[in-house]
Amino acid sequence: MQKASEPKKRANLRDVAKAAGVSVATVSRVLNEPGLVKKDTLEKVQAAIATLKFVPSAAARAINSGRTRFVGALIPTLDNAIFARFLAALERKLSEHQLSLVVATTDSNPDTEAEKAKSLIDIGAEGLIVTGATHCAAMHDLLERTMIPTIITSFYESDNALPTIGYDNAAAAQLALHHLAELGHKDIAVVHGPVRDNDRTRARLDGLKTYVFDGKLTTFETQISHQGGANVADHICSLPRLPDAILCLSDVVALGVLLGLQASKISVPEQVSMIGIDDLPTSAVTVPPLTSVHLPVSQMGERAADGLAQWITTQQAPHSEKLHARLIVRNSTRSLL
Amino acid sequence: MQKASEPKKRANLRDVAKAAGVSVATVSRVLNEPGLVKKDTLEKVQAAIATLKFVPSAAARAINSGRTRFVGALIPTLDNAIFARFLAALERKLSEHQLSLVVATTDSNPDTEAEKAKSLIDIGAEGLIVTGATHCAAMHDLLERTMIPTIITSFYESDNALPTIGYDNAAAAQLALHHLAELGHKDIAVVHGPVRDNDRTRARLDGLKTYVFDGKLTTFETQISHQGGANVADHICSLPRLPDAILCLSDVVALGVLLGLQASKISVPEQVSMIGIDDLPTSAVTVPPLTSVHLPVSQMGERAADGLAQWITTQQAPHSEKLHARLIVRNSTRSLL
DNA sequence: TTGACATATGTAACTAGTTTCATCAACCTC
DNA sequence: GAGGTTGATGAAACTAGTTACATATGTCAA
C-alpha cells in the first residue's frame, strides 16, 4: 500500500532526525532543551525542522507527559453578558497557569451538558468548570468514573461533593428584595428565567419566598433575553394595576423590561421601581441607571481558574468559596415612604 | 470530599487486559467494535473496565488516528452578542461534523491572536476559524508553516490566500448610509469602534468614504460597548448642533448611543435618526426599535463550520463565500424630505 | 599514563492506544 | 475425512514523541 513517493505526509521526529543525520533523542533535545546540544548540531537540526516544516504532534507529547494542558467549561449560553464576563476572567487566569480553555454551551439542558462533558473528556480535558450543582445521572456517573477535577460555579454550597466557587443565590435575591421592602414596596413583580434545570434561578426564588415581609410577590417566567424581558413588560402593563416594583433575577431581563416599560410610556422609578441582579456594565448606562445586586463573576472566574489549576497539579481538591454579592443603588428604585 | 492520598494511577488498556485475562487487542475491540467480540468475553472485559474505572486516553487515540476532533476559533471578544451568536451557530454545526470547538479570545490584539493560535495548535487543533484578514507576521508564519486549515470570517475578499466566509463590510456600511441619504440626511455622525487592528471597522469606514453623497460625515471612535456608545452620545449632545443622523457601525454601540441620547432627553428619530449595523435581536425591542443592517452571522457560522470540516476531511480548501447583508427598517430613522 | 569528569550524542525502552496478521477451533461442504 | 470458510482471539508491529542509560570524545589533574 505504501508507494515510494507519498504526496504529503506530515514530517515526524524520525524524519527530521534522518534529514539532519542525528538521532531522535537529539531532535527531541533541540525541541525541549536546546542548551544540551552543540551549536552546529543545533543548527543542522533546526534547518531540517524548517525545510521539513516539522510541527511536533500534540498527541504524542500528551501521551508522554499525561498532560493536555486544557480544561473545559460548561456554561448555559454565551448569549448573556454575565457568562461572557465570567469566561473572560476564567480564561485570563487559566492562561497564567499555562492552561487553555475549551468552552461548551449546554443551553441549560442537562443531557446536552452530559454529552458535551463526555466529549470534552474524550478530547482530553484535564478538568472541568460547570455551572450550577444540578446535573443529570449520566453527568454524575461520568464525573465519578473519570474522577476528573471539576469545580461548580455560580453556586455556593459548603457541603457539596464537589467544590463550589460562587455566591449564595438566595442571599443575593434577598438583598434585592430587602432593598425594595425597606423602600416600602408591597406589591412586587418578580421576573425570572426558566426554572426548569436551573438551580440558580430556583435558589433565588426560594430566597425570595423565605424572606419574611408583609407584601405580595407575583412571579413571571420568561426567556433570559432583552426580548424576553420586553415581553413580560408588555404583559405587566396590560394588568389592571401596576405593581409597586419589579424585581428581575437577571440584569439582561431587567433591561428588556425597562425597554418594554418605556415603550408603554411607563416611567421608572416614578410609576414602578426596578431592581436587577448581576450588575452588568450596561446597567450603569440604562435610563434610568439600574439598581442591581453585583455578582462578582470576574473574581469567580479567577478563583475557579486558580482552584482548578491547583487541583490538576497537586491532585488536591480546593475548598469551596463563598463570594459576596452586594447591592448597588442607582436611580431605578425610589422610596414609597 | 476527595481523599488526597490515593495511589491513583489511571488504569490503561494493558491493565484492563490483564484483569480480564484477555489480550490488549480484545479490549481495544470491546471499545471500538464490540460486535467482533464474543458475548461472554465482552462482559468480562466490560466488568474489568468498570471495576478499574478505565477511561481511554484521548492522546493515545489521537496519536493513532492523527485526529483530535477539535478546532479552534479566534474571536476578538465574547463581550459582544454578535460573536456569541456566531459561535453558537458555529459550534452547533461543527458538532454535526463530530468536531468540538475551542474558543480563544484575542482582545483584537494581533500578538495575542498569534499566541493563542500557537497554543491552539500546540494542544492539537485540527483547524482554525479566525476573525478578519489582518494578522501579525508571527501569525502568518505560523499558518504557513503548519499549513493548518484556516478560514477567515466576518470578512469577504475573493482573492485572499485563505478562504474567507463573510460579508462585504464596505457594502454593509454603504447600505446604512444609502438609507440615510435617501431620507435626506446631510449631516451624519458615524460612531465606530477602535480602528487599530480591526480591518472590519476599517472596511466599513472606507465604504462610507467612497460612497458619493452631498453631505458631511463626522466620525467618532469609542469602545464597542453600551458604555462606549453612551459616552459618545454625551459628547454629541454637547456639540453646538446635533447631527441629522447617527450611523453606528455596530448595534451594541448603537444601543449605547440610544441610551445616552435618551439620558439627555434627545428623542429618536424626531431630533436625530439612528441606524446600526449587526441587527441583534435586542435591536427589535429598543425604544424606538432600531433600524439596522442585518449581518447573517448564524449563516456565517454554519458555512464556516461546513467549510472547515470539509477541509479537514478532504484536504481540499473550500471556496470563499460572500454572504449578503440587508437593511432592516424599523422606527429609528425618519425622512427629512 | 591513567583515572576522573563533563559534554555531546545515540540506543532502546518506555508512554497508551490501534491495527495487521497469524492462529486455532468450529462448522460446512463435497 | 479432506478442504474451505468463518469467528474469536492473541502476538507483535505500529503511531510520535520522551527519557533512562550507554557510549564516545575531550579536558584536566594526579
Side-chain angles (χ1 to χ4, degrees):
Chain A
M1 162 172 180
Q2 211 79 345
K3 289 280 155 332
S5 63
E6 276 292 295
K8 49 176 165 208
K9 196 185 58 174
R10 241 179 73 172
N12 64 25
L13 249 200
R14 264 104 186 155
D15 298 332
V16 175
K18 198 176 293 176
V22 298
S23 72
V24 291
T26 300
V27 180
S28 181
R29 284 185 200 108
V30 169
L31 259 29
N32 301 304
E33 290 189 276
L36 297 180
V37 181
K38 217 199 333 182
K39 189 142 170 273
D40 55 344
T41 317
L42 187 86
E43 282 161 7
K44 256 192 327 192
V45 173
Q46 282 172 335
I49 286 176
T51 55
L52 292 177
K53 294 187 180 179
F54 168 70
V55 183
S57 143
R61 277 214 161 131
I63 208 179
N64 287 291
S65 64
R67 308 254 351 229
T68 54
R69 306 233 62 104
F70 75 88
V71 302
L74 291 153
I75 57 158
T77 175
L78 288 173
D79 222 350
N80 182 338
I82 197 76
F83 292 115
R85 299 179 65 72
F86 168 66
L87 288 177
L90 183 68
E91 194 198 21
R92 180 166 18 81
K93 200 67 175 183
L94 280 172
S95 79
E96 285 180 21
H97 294 283
Q98 257 84 262
L99 284 168
S100 294
L101 175 67
V102 181
V103 178
T105 54
T106 66
D107 285 320
S108 292
N109 180 329
D111 298 328
T112 307
E113 182 183 55
E115 241 171 65
K116 294 275 177 90
K118 178 147 192 341
S119 100
L120 285 172
I121 292 169
D122 278 350
I123 67 175
E126 294 188 58
L128 294 180
I129 300 285
V130 302
T131 307
T134 311
H135 311 288
C136 71
M139 181 77 175
H140 279 117
D141 184 57
L142 185 72
L143 296 180
E144 193 177 325
R145 276 168 46 77
T146 60
M147 289 189 298
I148 186 169
T150 303
I151 289 179
I152 291 169
T153 61
S154 299
F155 195 88
Y156 173 78
E157 198 172 58
S158 60
D159 58 348
N160 199 291
L162 292 171
T164 60
I165 296 183
Y167 28 76
D168 180 333
N169 285 280
Q174 287 175 347
L175 218 51
L177 181 53
H178 179 71
H179 176 63
L180 293 178
E182 274 202 327
L183 295 176
H185 295 91
K186 305 275 187 198
D187 181 12
I188 298 173
V190 176
V191 185
H192 58 86
V195 163
R196 198 191 135 96
D197 297 328
N198 188 322
D199 50 10
R200 284 87 62 211
T201 297
R202 273 202 306 275
R204 292 178 194 184
L205 283 171
D206 286 347
L208 296 180
K209 278 167 198 155
T210 56
Y211 180 88
V212 181
F213 95 122
D214 62 335
K216 186 181 81 174
L217 294 178
T218 317
T219 59
F220 299 86
E221 180 170 321
T222 186
Q223 291 313 115
I224 300 186
S225 66
H226 295 142
Q227 178 74 64
N231 293 347
V232 168
D234 286 352
H235 179 64
I236 288 176
C237 292
S238 74
L239 258 32
R241 195 178 173 286
L242 280 181
D244 298 340
I246 302 177
L247 192 170
C248 296
L249 297 189
S250 84
D251 271 14
V252 166
V253 169
L255 175 52
V257 169
L258 204 53
L259 291 169
L261 292 177
Q262 193 189 331
S264 294
K265 304 266 194 301
I266 306 289
S267 60
V268 175
E270 289 74 16
Q271 292 174 268
V272 220
S273 282
M274 278 210 59
I275 188 167
I277 295 180
D278 278 350
D279 186 36
L280 298 177
T282 299
S283 303
V285 297
T286 56
V287 182
L290 184 71
T291 296
S292 190
V293 175
H294 181 82
L295 300 182
V297 289
S298 294
Q299 193 195 359
M300 185 169 82
E302 290 173 7
R303 304 302 303 125
D306 286 342
L308 193 58
Q310 178 211 307
W311 193 348
I312 289 170
T313 51
T314 69
Q315 308 285 0
Q316 183 75 47
H319 292 294
S320 286
E321 274 183 61
K322 181 155 148 189
L323 308 175
H324 291 282
R326 65 178 202 281
L327 182 72
I328 308 288
V329 179
R330 297 203 180 87
N331 305 325
S332 64
T333 42
R334 69 171 192 126
S335 174
L336 297 184
L337 303 176
Chain B
M1 280 280 139
Q2 236 70 13
K3 35 225 119 213
S5 57
E6 289 290 310
K8 50 179 309 183
K9 53 227 161 226
R10 248 176 65 172
N12 64 26
L13 250 199
R14 263 109 187 151
D15 298 331
V16 175
K18 198 177 292 175
V22 298
S23 72
V24 291
T26 299
V27 180
S28 181
R29 283 185 201 108
V30 169
L31 260 29
N32 301 303
E33 292 189 274
L36 297 180
V37 181
K38 218 199 334 181
K39 189 146 169 271
D40 56 344
T41 317
L42 187 86
E43 281 161 7
K44 256 192 324 190
V45 174
Q46 283 170 336
I49 287 176
T51 55
L52 292 177
K53 293 187 181 182
F54 168 70
V55 183
S57 144
R61 277 216 160 128
I63 208 179
N64 287 291
S65 64
R67 308 259 345 236
T68 55
R69 305 232 65 103
F70 76 89
V71 303
L74 291 152
I75 56 158
T77 175
L78 287 173
D79 221 348
N80 182 337
I82 198 76
F83 291 114
R85 299 180 64 72
F86 168 66
L87 288 177
L90 184 68
E91 194 198 22
R92 179 166 17 81
K93 200 69 175 180
L94 281 171
S95 79
E96 285 179 22
H97 294 282
Q98 256 85 261
L99 285 168
S100 294
L101 176 67
V102 181
V103 178
T105 53
T106 67
D107 284 319
S108 291
N109 180 328
D111 297 328
T112 308
E113 181 183 55
E115 240 171 67
K116 295 278 180 86
K118 177 146 191 344
S119 101
L120 285 172
I121 292 169
D122 278 350
I123 67 175
E126 294 189 57
L128 295 180
I129 299 285
V130 303
T131 307
T134 312
H135 311 288
C136 70
M139 180 78 175
H140 279 117
D141 185 56
L142 186 72
L143 295 181
E144 195 177 324
R145 275 170 43 77
T146 60
M147 290 187 302
I148 186 169
T150 303
I151 289 179
I152 292 169
T153 60
S154 299
F155 196 88
Y156 173 77
E157 197 172 59
S158 59
D159 58 349
N160 198 291
L162 292 171
T164 61
I165 296 183
Y167 28 76
D168 181 333
N169 285 280
Q174 287 173 347
L175 218 51
L177 181 52
H178 179 70
H179 176 64
L180 293 178
E182 275 201 327
L183 295 176
H185 295 92
K186 305 275 187 198
D187 181 11
I188 298 174
V190 176
V191 185
H192 58 85
V195 163
R196 196 190 136 99
D197 298 326
N198 188 323
D199 50 10
R200 283 88 61 213
T201 297
R202 275 203 304 276
R204 292 178 195 184
L205 283 170
D206 287 347
L208 297 181
K209 278 166 196 151
T210 57
Y211 179 88
V212 182
F213 96 122
D214 64 336
K216 188 181 79 172
L217 293 179
T218 317
T219 61
F220 300 85
E221 181 170 318
T222 186
Q223 292 312 115
I224 300 186
S225 68
H226 295 140
Q227 178 74 63
N231 293 347
V232 168
D234 286 351
H235 179 65
I236 289 175
C237 291
S238 73
L239 259 31
R241 195 177 174 288
L242 280 180
D244 298 341
I246 302 177
L247 192 170
C248 296
L249 297 189
S250 84
D251 271 13
V252 166
V253 170
L255 175 53
V257 169
L258 205 54
L259 291 169
L261 293 176
Q262 192 188 333
S264 295
K265 304 267 195 300
I266 306 289
S267 59
V268 176
E270 289 74 17
Q271 291 174 271
V272 220
S273 283
M274 279 211 57
I275 188 167
I277 295 179
D278 279 350
D279 185 37
L280 297 177
T282 298
S283 304
V285 297
T286 56
V287 182
L290 185 71
T291 295
S292 189
V293 175
H294 180 82
L295 298 183
V297 289
S298 294
Q299 192 194 359
M300 185 169 82
E302 290 173 8
R303 304 303 302 125
D306 286 342
L308 193 57
Q310 178 210 308
W311 193 349
I312 289 170
T313 50
T314 68
Q315 307 284 1
Q316 184 76 46
H319 292 295
S320 286
E321 273 183 62
K322 182 155 150 188
L323 308 175
H324 292 281
R326 64 178 202 282
L327 182 72
I328 309 288
V329 179
R330 298 201 180 88
N331 306 326
S332 64
T333 42
R334 70 170 191 127
S335 175
L336 297 184
L337 302 176

